């Protein structure tokens, strides 16, 4: 298992995992099998592997693939557990397609309902919780978020036609609901609305310095929409971006959504 090396309480994280069989920083409280070996060198970790399992934030996939290209077995199989999509000059690409193109290996994907660190809508749900709105308002926000997700995919996905039925699968609406009621995006966004502290401050306090991916994804999405002059057609995505990065008052979150094609 490749582990990005860092110091935790004066010890190397790989050393802690290999002696205590627990990733105390990123997966505390869960024992790992004794045969799982943490390796700080990416090329060493993939050397001779028959199956490569990709479980990293989607922003880093390009760099990882570039590092291991020509260092892996030609008949290796890849399995992606990565959420999110890649922003390219011709639109959006599936992460599995990015890996397949960069490495030339056969790819499969494992997906289902779990907490998605990249979900922008969960930040909006957290704003609702922090502002003290009820379940009806939060449910309406989640629904608007689902509508914008479907519209966004239909406009920007270049792999083929996008069916709304896809979003009713476990990896769609169930994943969205899970993320909007749990997870770090909702939790930190709630604290953001309640405390008035910056995202950066809350990352240090609540995430042990890890970066919150929801706002970062909102910035990526905003850039994509700006290129096509479509920002106004996605008021929920835009509101999350404006509040996180432009200093827009979080108290105006709901009023920003009144411009939605189907408002609340």
């Amino acid at each position: 298992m490749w582990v990005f090396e860092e110091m935790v309480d004066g010890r190397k994280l790989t050393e802690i995992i290999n002696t205590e069989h627990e990733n105390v920083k990123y997966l505390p409280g869960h024992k790992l099998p004794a045969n799982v070996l943490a390796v700080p060198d990416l090329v060493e970790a993939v050397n001779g592997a028959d199956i490569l399992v990709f479980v990293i934030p989607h922003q880093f996939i390009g760099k990882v693939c570039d590092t291991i290209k020509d260092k892996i077995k030609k008949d290796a199989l890849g399995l992606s557990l990565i959420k999110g999509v890649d922003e390219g000059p011709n639109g959006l690409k599936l992460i599995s397609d990015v890996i397949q193109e960069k490495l030339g290996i056969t790819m499969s994907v494992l997906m289902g309902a779990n907490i998605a660190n990249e979900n922008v809508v969960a930040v909006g749900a957290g704003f609702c919780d922090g502002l003290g709105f009820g379940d009806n308002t939060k449910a309406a926000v989640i629904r608007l978020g689902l509508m914008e997700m479907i519209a966004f995919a239909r406009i920007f996905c270049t792999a083929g036609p996008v069916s709304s039925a896809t979003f009713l699968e476990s990896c769609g609406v169930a994943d969205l609901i899970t993320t909007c009621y749990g997870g770090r995006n909702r939790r930190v966004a709630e604290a953001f609305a309640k405390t008035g502290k910056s995202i950066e401050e809350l990352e240090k306090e609540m995430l042990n310095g890890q970066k919150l991916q929801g706002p970062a994804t909102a910035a990526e999405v905003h850039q994509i929409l700006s290129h096509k002059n479509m920002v106004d057609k996605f008021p929920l995505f835009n509101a999350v971006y404006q509040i996180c990065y432009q200093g827009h008052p979080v108290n105006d979150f709901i009023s920003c959504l009144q411009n939605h094609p189907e408002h609340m």
Side-chain angles (χ1 to χ4, degrees):
M1 175 175 69
W2 174 56
V3 173
F4 186 81
E5 190 69 281
E6 57 186 297
M7 302 301 290
V8 179
D9 295 330
R11 296 173 65 195
K12 291 180 179 178
L13 182 56
T14 54
E15 177 193 323
I16 296 172
I17 293 172
N18 292 334
T19 55
E20 299 173 20
H21 307 296
E22 181 180 344
N23 190 332
V24 294
K25 182 164 184 180
Y26 298 107
L27 196 63
H30 297 272
K31 286 294 180 183
L32 299 172
N35 64 336
V36 173
L37 180 68
V39 178
D41 186 292
L42 177 56
V43 174
E44 180 187 341
V46 302
N47 183 41
D50 295 304
I51 300 174
L52 302 170
V53 184
F54 295 85
V55 199
I56 58 174
H58 76 279
Q59 289 95 335
F60 302 122
I61 194 61
K63 186 176 181 181
V64 164
C65 287
D66 290 341
T67 302
I68 65 175
K69 185 176 171 59
D70 301 324
K71 304 288 196 306
I72 58 175
K73 294 173 71 170
K74 287 191 171 23
D75 61 348
L77 300 176
L79 177 64
S80 173
L81 279 66
I82 299 173
K83 304 246 177 213
V85 287
D86 181 69
E87 176 196 352
N90 300 316
L92 301 182
K93 275 188 178 178
L94 301 176
I95 298 297
S96 52
D97 287 343
V98 173
I99 299 171
Q100 193 275 326
E101 288 174 14
K102 281 184 171 287
L103 300 181
I105 62 175
T106 301
M107 287 296 300
S108 297
V109 176
L110 178 65
M111 60 181 66
N114 68 349
I115 291 176
N117 287 341
E118 294 87 358
N119 214 307
V120 178
V121 184
V123 178
F127 290 159
C128 285
D129 292 340
L131 293 168
F133 295 128
D135 288 336
N136 288 353
T137 301
K138 185 173 174 179
V141 166
I142 294 172
R143 176 181 169 274
L144 294 183
L146 182 62
M147 288 170 55
E148 292 194 11
M149 288 165 61
I150 295 172
F152 188 89
R154 283 185 168 156
I155 293 169
F156 295 101
C157 281
T158 58
V162 173
S163 169
S164 57
T166 303
F167 291 84
L168 300 179
E169 298 288 344
S170 175
C171 59
V173 67
D175 189 277
L176 178 63
I177 292 169
T178 303
T179 307
C180 288
Y181 279 89
R184 63 178 65 173
N185 283 299
R186 190 219 61 81
R187 187 162 47 93
V188 175
E190 178 183 22
F192 178 88
K194 281 182 175 177
T195 65
K197 293 180 180 178
S198 70
I199 294 291
E200 291 77 15
E201 286 179 283
L202 293 169
E203 283 172 339
K204 289 175 185 171
E205 290 179 16
M206 302 175 68
L207 302 181
N208 202 17
Q210 293 182 58
K211 289 295 177 186
L212 197 67
Q213 289 190 52
T217 305
E220 290 179 5
V221 166
H222 187 268
Q223 187 174 11
I224 295 168
L225 293 174
S226 297
H227 286 321
K228 296 271 190 178
N229 293 318
M230 287 187 169
V231 170
D232 292 341
K233 295 186 182 299
F234 294 82
L236 175 57
F237 291 171
N238 187 37
V240 171
Y241 171 77
Q242 295 283 348
I243 290 168
C244 288
Y245 290 101
Q246 301 292 310
H248 199 87
V250 70
N251 288 341
D252 291 347
F253 175 58
I254 296 300
S255 62
C256 291
L257 305 183
Q258 302 304 326
N259 300 322
H260 205 280
E262 282 190 44
H263 31 90
M264 298 163 55

